[in-house]
Amino acid sequence: MRFRKFTSSFDTEDRLSITIDDIARPLSSIQSSFEGGKVPSEFVAPLTKFAERYGGGSFSSLFAEGKSARQKQKLVEEFGSVLYSMETEEVKNEETFLIWRDACRDIIDWGLKVDFMLDHLKQAARDFFGYMLRPSGSESSCREIIQMEEAISQLRKKLLHLEQKLGEAREDLHLRLGDDISSDSMSCILGSSWVPQSRASRGLY
């Protein structure tokens, strides 16, 4: 399977001969302030969103210890390039994910604690492969299947909970009746609708 082959390749230490610079879009010459330094203005929006989601609004908690201000600035700029590329590049083949993987590995090695980006790229690649394999016009069917699978999953969880409660209720009744109660007697007890005011003719007419 093509995706399995990609996953195997993704997990190796091999590198592509091309880099993120080879696919980068031209940037304006405008520089903007970010984290106490300057980065291309195009990087500010993705960097800000990332910092808010994973760094509590700042990259400070994501830097490895001992990094100088200059090193931190370089890391932020390099990572901004990756995020900007991921936001703007139209993915046409799996090679793009390997380019981003190489860039993220370098950034992680240099001291930015974003190891989870590799898992994100794997999942994004899986989504890409799924999209490429999906037959044309099957979008509504795929959504319906996913919705039904989610509904079944919720029902299974509810069923598991009910079965647990049923077991507890049966165990409580067994304790009240004693261990020598037969299954027939238990069925008789559970099926009985008799109350103190009942008469034998109940349900007859």
Side-chain angles (χ1 to χ4, degrees):
M1 183 180 178
R2 188 173 169 184
F3 179 68
R4 189 177 297 118
K5 183 178 179 181
F6 166 81
T7 301
S8 178
S9 175
F10 190 98
D11 292 333
T12 67
E13 295 301 319
D14 298 338
R15 295 179 64 95
L16 295 185
S17 58
I18 57 177
T19 69
I20 196 169
D21 293 331
D22 296 314
I23 64 170
R25 296 191 176 200
L27 301 172
S28 68
S29 58
I30 301 173
Q31 294 279 306
S32 299
S33 298
F34 185 82
E35 298 272 328
K38 295 284 188 179
V39 298
S41 59
E42 292 88 346
F43 296 175
V44 173
L47 284 169
T48 299
K49 288 186 288 187
F50 188 91
E52 289 174 350
R53 176 73 183 274
Y54 300 105
S58 169
F59 272 79
S60 58
S61 64
L62 299 175
F63 293 119
E65 292 186 9
K67 295 297 174 183
S68 67
R70 183 186 179 96
Q71 289 172 325
K72 291 178 180 179
Q73 175 63 27
K74 183 63 176 176
L75 278 170
V76 167
E77 186 170 351
E78 292 292 336
F79 194 54
S81 176
V82 175
L83 294 178
Y84 180 68
S85 178
M86 289 172 63
E87 283 202 355
T88 59
E89 281 298 320
E90 180 183 355
V91 179
K92 296 180 179 178
N93 56 61
E94 58 267 35
E95 187 177 65
T96 309
F97 293 101
L98 298 176
I99 293 171
W100 290 328
R101 175 208 62 182
D102 290 347
C104 284
R105 281 179 176 174
D106 288 339
I107 290 167
I108 293 166
D109 289 343
W110 295 337
L112 192 63
K113 295 182 286 186
V114 290
D115 304 59
F116 56 88
M117 284 294 296
L118 300 177
D119 289 331
H120 172 78
L121 289 173
K122 264 191 187 179
Q123 183 57 53
R126 183 182 182 86
D127 291 343
F128 169 74
F129 274 94
Y131 168 76
M132 294 298 289
L133 291 169
R134 183 192 303 163
S136 177
S138 65
E139 291 81 2
S140 61
S141 295
C142 290
R143 283 194 299 270
E144 185 179 4
I145 289 170
I146 291 172
Q147 289 170 356
M148 287 191 290
E149 287 178 341
E150 289 176 348
I152 289 171
S153 177
Q154 291 301 315
L155 288 172
R156 282 176 176 158
K157 289 178 182 178
K158 187 175 182 180
L159 177 60
L160 186 64
H161 176 71
L162 289 173
E163 286 177 338
Q164 181 180 350
K165 299 296 288 185
L166 173 61
E168 292 171 356
R170 285 183 177 277
E171 181 65 24
D172 179 66
L173 185 57
H174 265 293
L175 290 174
R176 291 169 182 267
L177 295 170
D179 293 335
D180 58 344
I181 190 76
S182 69
S183 58
D184 286 342
S185 296
M186 178 64 77
S187 295
C188 184
I189 291 168
L190 292 174
S192 174
S193 61
W194 196 277
V195 296
Q197 294 77 27
S198 292
R199 297 292 182 272
S201 59
R202 179 185 179 188
L204 179 63
Y205 309 116

